[in-house]
Amino acid sequence: MFRYILRRIGMLIPILFLVSVVVFLMLRLAKGDPAMAYLRLSNIPPTTEALEEARYLLGLDLPVWEQYLRWIGKALQGDFGVSWVTGNPVLGEILYYLPATLKLTAAALFLTLALSIPLGVLAALRKDGPIDHVTRAFAFVGVSMPSFWFAYLLIFVFAVTFKLLPPMGMGGVSHIIMPAMALALMSTAINIRFLRANMLENMHARSVLYARARGLSERRVIWGHVFRNSLVPVVTSIGMHLGELIGGAVVVEMVFAWPGVGRYAVMAIYNRDFPILQCFLLVMTSIFVLCNLLVDILYAWIDPRIRLQGDRS
């Protein structure tokens, strides 16, 4: 297990390197002149002299590879530059808004697991029954409905019509209920379908047949063999859901005026504040990669064959 974890950590280095290259080139090759954006945000008239001075100041007169080395060298020391709008260090501002996004993402993930696991199990155990039909209908609607549309429906029902929950902002528990529901909808629907299908498949596995032949109780067969074996692909999907939740938080935060890093990044896109966008993309991608590392470790813990196969290779 220890060797498996070390090998997985070693694989993170080239992945993060490639991510940094893609993030840097993606913004450098984007349409528009960063020097012009810098002058606009600094309220400096874009004369020829000012543009040349801005390019020299930002290092845009250097070859692209040299710009990348300077940027990644400073980034490894925690220096992502300063915001062109506020003039404050970028990393400090990202870390200021990041806890709100992680709080919302954690709440949505909790909601996803708390709803999808029992509903997926019930749908499989009551196949073709009323619970199964209702659950499948919910999963179908959940996958089909965009999160921002569901968010507006929640606001209309719970904030405008019944006045039960605050429509926007961050405060107590009541403020996070609707954003977490909107963010968790699609992941919950996918997880329900995924768990139901795996449960039904494992019910007919040979190991389950042998377990019943050994005289084990039905409860032990279901939870000890069917459910545990069905969790392996579900755990893998959770790693994908984390990326989906982090990415979806950008839209949900805008709808509910949630003061997270996603809303902050959208404002940076409007302003073409390149240092913030570079830091945001690199930090969020790193979080996503680390979460997937934890999922891989959990995956190997649930199914020992994974780490044994890795040790042999």
Side-chain angles (χ1 to χ4, degrees), residues 11-24 68-69 71-72 76 282 285-286 289:
M11 291 174 63
L12 294 185
I13 297 173
I15 292 174
L16 290 175
F17 168 71
L18 288 176
V19 167
S20 70
V21 172
V22 171
V23 166
F24 182 82
Y68 170 77
L69 289 180
W71 173 71
I72 196 65
L76 289 174
L282 198 59
T285 308
S286 300
V289 170

Side-chain angles (χ1 to χ4, degrees), residues 88-109:
N88 296 323
V90 169
L91 185 60
E93 293 200 346
I94 292 286
L95 294 179
Y96 175 78
Y97 290 106
L98 186 60
T101 296
L102 294 181
K103 181 180 178 182
L104 176 60
T105 305
L109 182 61

Side-chain angles (χ1 to χ4, degrees), residues 5 53 56 95 117 126 193 224 277 288 290 303:
I5 295 174
E53 188 175 347
Y56 174 76
L95 294 179
I117 291 179
R126 303 286 186 269
R193 296 294 299 267
L277 293 176
F288 175 68
L290 289 175
D303 188 352

Side-chain angles (χ1 to χ4, degrees), residues 32-269:
D33 186 352
M36 185 67 80
Y38 173 78
L39 292 178
R40 178 177 54 81
L41 294 173
S42 303
N43 294 320
I44 300 175
T47 61
T48 305
E49 294 76 15
L51 277 171
E52 289 180 358
E53 188 175 347
R55 290 196 179 96
Y56 174 76
L57 180 66
L58 301 175
L60 298 174
D61 57 334
L62 299 173
V64 175
W65 63 269
E66 195 171 343
Q67 293 180 39
Y68 170 77
L69 289 180
R70 287 181 61 178
W71 173 71
I72 196 65
K74 291 182 179 177
L76 289 174
Q77 301 173 40
D79 180 9
F80 287 86
V82 297
S83 167
W84 294 351
V85 176
T86 64
N88 296 323
V90 169
L91 185 60
E93 293 200 346
I94 292 286
L95 294 179
Y96 175 78
Y97 290 106
L98 186 60
T101 296
L102 294 181
K103 181 180 178 182
L104 176 60
T105 305
L109 182 61
F110 172 77
L111 205 57
T112 298
L113 297 178
L115 290 176
S116 63
I117 291 179
L119 288 177
V121 172
L122 275 176
L125 295 179
R126 303 286 186 269
K127 182 175 179 292
D128 295 331
I131 294 178
D132 186 28
H133 290 308
V134 172
T135 304
R136 287 164 62 189
F138 169 76
F140 179 76
V141 172
V143 171
S144 308
M145 185 179 292
S147 58
F148 73 91
W149 181 247
F150 184 56
Y152 284 124
L153 282 180
L154 290 175
I155 292 174
F156 176 74
V157 174
F158 294 105
V160 177
T161 305
F162 296 108
K163 303 185 185 308
L164 295 175
L165 297 171
M168 58 182 65
M170 189 173 77
V173 177
S174 59
H175 286 82
I176 201 171
I177 293 176
M178 286 198 294
M181 288 173 65
L183 193 56
L185 176 66
M186 185 171 290
S187 298
T188 303
I190 294 173
N191 245 22
I192 288 174
R193 296 294 299 267
F194 212 38
L195 185 56
R196 177 186 179 274
N198 280 290
M199 289 277 292
L200 291 175
E201 184 180 345
N202 283 312
M203 280 180 184
H204 302 289
R206 189 170 296 177
S207 60
V208 174
L209 177 66
Y210 292 157
R212 287 197 172 103
R214 282 158 48 204
L216 297 180
S217 65
E218 190 63 19
R219 178 188 294 268
R220 194 170 169 187
V221 170
I222 293 296
W223 294 107
H225 293 267
V226 177
F227 179 69
R228 184 181 176 113
N229 291 333
S230 302
L231 274 183
V232 175
V234 172
V235 168
T236 306
S237 74
I238 290 174
M240 299 296 105
H241 290 322
L242 282 171
E244 182 185 320
L245 294 174
I246 292 173
V250 174
V251 177
V252 172
E253 286 177 4
M254 289 299 292
V255 174
F256 289 98
W258 186 266
V261 73
R263 184 165 171 264
Y264 179 63
V266 171
M267 299 308 297
I269 293 173

